[in-house]
Amino acid sequence: MNRSALIDRLETIDPYHRLGRVTRVVGILIESRGPRASVGDLCRIHITGERDPVLAEVVGFSGENLLLMPYAPIQRIAPESLVESTGHGLKIKVGDALIGKVLDGLGHPLDGSALNGLLTDYPTDQPPPNPLERPRIAEPLALGIRAIDGLLTVGKGQRVGIFSGSGVGKSTLLGMIARRAAADINVIALIGERGREVLEFIEADLGPEGLERSVVVVATSDQPALMRIKGALTATAIAEYFRSQGLDVLLMMDSLTRVAMAQREIGLAVGEPPTTKGYTPSVFALLPQLLERTGSAKNGTITAFYTVLVDGGDMDEPIADAARGILDGHIVLDRKIAEKGQYPAINVLKSVSRVMTNVVTPDHLKAANRFRALLAKYEEAEDLIQIGAYKSGSSPEIDEAIRLRPAMLDYLKQAVDEKVEGREAIDRLTKLVGGVD
Ligand SMILES: Nc1ncnc2c1ncn2[C@@H]1O[C@H](COP(=O)(O)OP(=O)(O)OP(=O)(O)O)[C@@H](O)[C@H]1O
Ligand SMILES: [Mg+2]
């Protein structure tokens, strides 16, 4: 070991070791007598014959004992293994060196490469910005997706849910946004995905042009529940770090549902009751804590997208319902639309951007409302139109909705590699519905 490594090692040594001993292992929980530590504190469990300690976190108490959950699968822990408290929660290294990297839930590069350059220690648990110091969302963020920029305009610092069933195009849409959006940097958290999907997303959806302006954090479904939660917290902390540097950050979390499921697993292990459709109370405590951290702050902004799985389109499912209540908008992807080959499969009428009125011009808003009204008119009369029972001329509104239908569907469609630049989304929209800008 060289000199600087030794000094690094020395710095991590706490001369007043706070130590305890493992007394019991039950399922994914480790019980220990001591050390003195609080919930959320990081501990090292030293195992005889192993060089590296196992990292674990205090997740609760049982009488006098601590309940710990490990970051890695536990293998050789034995009774009386030494438990050492670090006296603080998990910290990661942050800095520009993270850009273009794929990291694990603890912020280490997955390919084992080193992080060079200036790095700062940064706790993964952060309080949300003071609500009184949060600037109001006033500026649009162009995402390069025509349907969203035109009809569901997102503001810098807005938090949006993407709701859909499986395989309707969430990951593809996130990849398109990551490649095209006018943000300074992307932070992408892939939580609870299958391992195979990770490489697929990075290589196909994100591509090299997306990756070079992104930090990707991965915690796959086979990892312990705590690592999946850490992945979500680590990605959020990295986004917060870049926001504190004055940047406009885009955070994408795929999927929030899997984060909630990981928290449920932890909750059930520590003995919480499953109260809402199998979800434990701590799930509903975690969601606002996590989602309130993004958004706008004094220096910069985090615009955030969280995907939420709604199988069978059940928008009242507890996680979807909780997320919708906290977020400032939702984009619904519809399987029926995808089945027609209409991608991105956004159901415009079911989607809403709660800040759109604050970030667009009155003319843009008027055109968007007109587009929606025509879509709604068509849907209302669709059954009649399909069976040929609608007589043209009976309603000028429906006639107009039918006339403009092909151009509107064409407007909503966007191929994966199709670029939408500058004012195209808005200009084409106003032209289409006959407004002036
Ligand atoms: N914009 C698009 N253009 C053409 N095809 C698309 C588009 N978006 C999605 N698809 C098709 O839909 C399939 C599923 O998309 P994607 O993997 O993005 O869905 P997902 O919602 O992320 O799925 P999962 O729930 O499994 O994560 C793709 O393999 C592709 O065939
Ligand atoms: Mg996906």
Side-chain angles (χ1 to χ4, degrees):
M1 195 181 283
N2 66 28
R3 199 178 131 82
S4 77
L6 269 175
I7 291 174
D8 276 356
R9 195 90 184 247
L10 268 177
E11 277 181 359
T12 64
I13 294 174
D14 178 358
Y16 301 97
H17 268 181
R18 287 176 274 187
L19 298 175
R21 297 273 180 193
V22 169
T23 52
R24 212 156 84 109
V25 174
V26 189
I28 52 171
L29 271 188
I30 301 165
E31 227 177 281
S32 75
R33 200 168 50 248
R36 273 180 49 189
S38 331
V39 170
D41 278 2
L42 184 66
C43 292
R44 300 187 193 99
I45 302 177
H46 298 271
I47 297 167
T48 332
E50 299 273 321
R51 208 173 67 98
D52 295 323
V54 171
L55 294 177
E57 189 172 305
V58 181
V59 290
F61 299 93
S62 167
E64 304 266 290
N65 286 351
L66 286 187
L67 300 177
L68 297 145
M69 205 169 265
Y71 287 164
I74 31 177
Q75 268 147 12
R76 303 188 36 199
I77 289 184
E80 300 294 311
S81 291
L82 213 53
V83 182
E84 176 197 8
S85 165
T86 61
H88 57 72
L90 177 66
K91 288 182 184 169
I92 52 165
K93 300 269 184 216
V94 292
D96 284 350
L98 296 180
I99 300 168
K101 293 274 184 191
V102 182
L103 312 170
D104 68 11
L106 306 179
H108 304 131
L110 266 186
D111 60 3
S113 65
L115 294 172
N116 301 314
L118 195 65
L119 295 166
T120 320
D121 275 336
Y122 207 73
T124 57
D125 249 327
Q126 302 271 354
N130 179 337
L132 298 179
E133 286 178 3
R134 272 187 193 262
R136 290 185 49 196
I137 298 171
E139 247 185 278
L141 178 72
L143 298 178
I145 310 295
R146 192 164 43 235
I148 303 179
D149 289 344
L151 302 165
L152 297 159
T153 314
V154 168
K156 283 183 183 168
Q158 185 175 359
R159 297 156 310 154
V160 183
I162 298 181
F163 293 74
S164 100
S166 60
V168 186
K170 295 180 294 288
S171 303
T172 313
L173 180 61
L174 286 185
M176 282 169 82
I177 295 175
R179 287 200 310 269
R180 308 253 182 274
D184 297 319
I185 182 168
N186 305 312
V187 180
I188 303 169
L190 303 177
I191 311 294
E193 302 263 297
R194 286 149 290 203
R196 162 183 69 74
E197 287 172 316
V198 170
L199 206 59
E200 211 173 277
F201 177 81
I202 293 169
E203 286 181 351
D205 297 330
L206 193 57
E209 49 168 324
L211 185 59
E212 72 183 18
R213 47 196 295 246
S214 304
V215 183
V216 183
V217 179
V218 174
T220 43
S221 55
D222 56 314
Q223 302 213 348
L226 192 58
M227 275 299 269
R228 283 174 266 145
I229 299 283
K230 290 297 134 183
L233 297 176
T234 292
T236 305
I238 292 171
E240 284 167 325
Y241 162 75
F242 286 112
R243 175 177 65 185
S244 73
Q245 306 292 302
L247 300 182
D248 289 319
V249 184
L250 190 58
L251 173 72
M252 292 177 235
M253 198 171 283
D254 192 9
S255 80
L256 188 65
T257 305
R258 305 247 187 257
V259 176
M261 287 174 170
Q263 183 61 38
R264 168 171 67 184
E265 228 176 276
I266 295 173
L268 291 174
V270 298
E272 275 189 82
T275 39
T276 316
K277 290 217 179 142
Y279 285 100
T280 61
S282 66
V283 174
F284 300 97
L286 173 74
L287 289 179
Q289 269 171 27
L290 190 65
L291 304 183
E292 282 297 337
R293 284 169 59 178
T294 55
S296 65
K298 237 184 337 193
N299 296 341
T301 61
I302 303 175
T303 308
F305 287 91
Y306 298 93
T307 65
V308 180
L309 201 66
V310 282
D311 261 333
D314 177 14
M315 291 287 284
D316 294 328
E317 179 273 336
I319 299 306
D321 194 45
R324 211 152 21 115
I326 305 165
L327 299 169
D328 326 296
H330 51 269
I331 292 172
V332 177
L333 303 185
D334 200 320
R335 194 179 300 281
K336 281 206 205 87
I337 297 178
E339 279 165 357
K340 291 180 193 151
Q342 166 97 28
Y343 285 108
I346 300 172
N347 185 326
V348 175
L349 293 178
K350 285 196 181 145
S351 307
V352 58
S353 162
R354 288 195 205 157
V355 309
M356 181 166 175
T357 47
N358 304 337
V359 300
V360 301
T361 63
D363 283 337
H364 177 178
L365 191 65
K366 210 170 126 200
N369 285 340
R370 175 82 183 130
F371 193 108
R372 273 174 180 271
L374 287 169
L375 272 184
K377 255 296 168 247
Y378 186 91
E379 275 196 10
E380 218 180 277
E382 189 164 17
D383 290 346
L384 286 181
I385 299 167
Q386 295 293 343
I387 57 165
Y390 174 76
K391 280 203 190 62
S392 129
S394 0
S395 153
E397 270 298 280
I398 297 176
D399 288 347
E400 183 74 345
I402 296 173
R403 189 177 69 81
L404 290 178
R405 183 80 178 167
M408 288 167 72
L409 291 184
D410 207 46
Y411 179 86
L412 296 173
K413 247 188 216 169
Q414 183 171 343
V416 174
D417 53 5
E418 182 184 344
K419 282 198 176 136
V420 172
E421 285 179 284
R423 292 187 44 86
E424 188 207 312
I426 303 165
D427 290 343
R428 192 166 148 189
L429 173 71
T430 38
K431 212 166 137 210
L432 201 159
V433 295
V436 280
D437 199 275

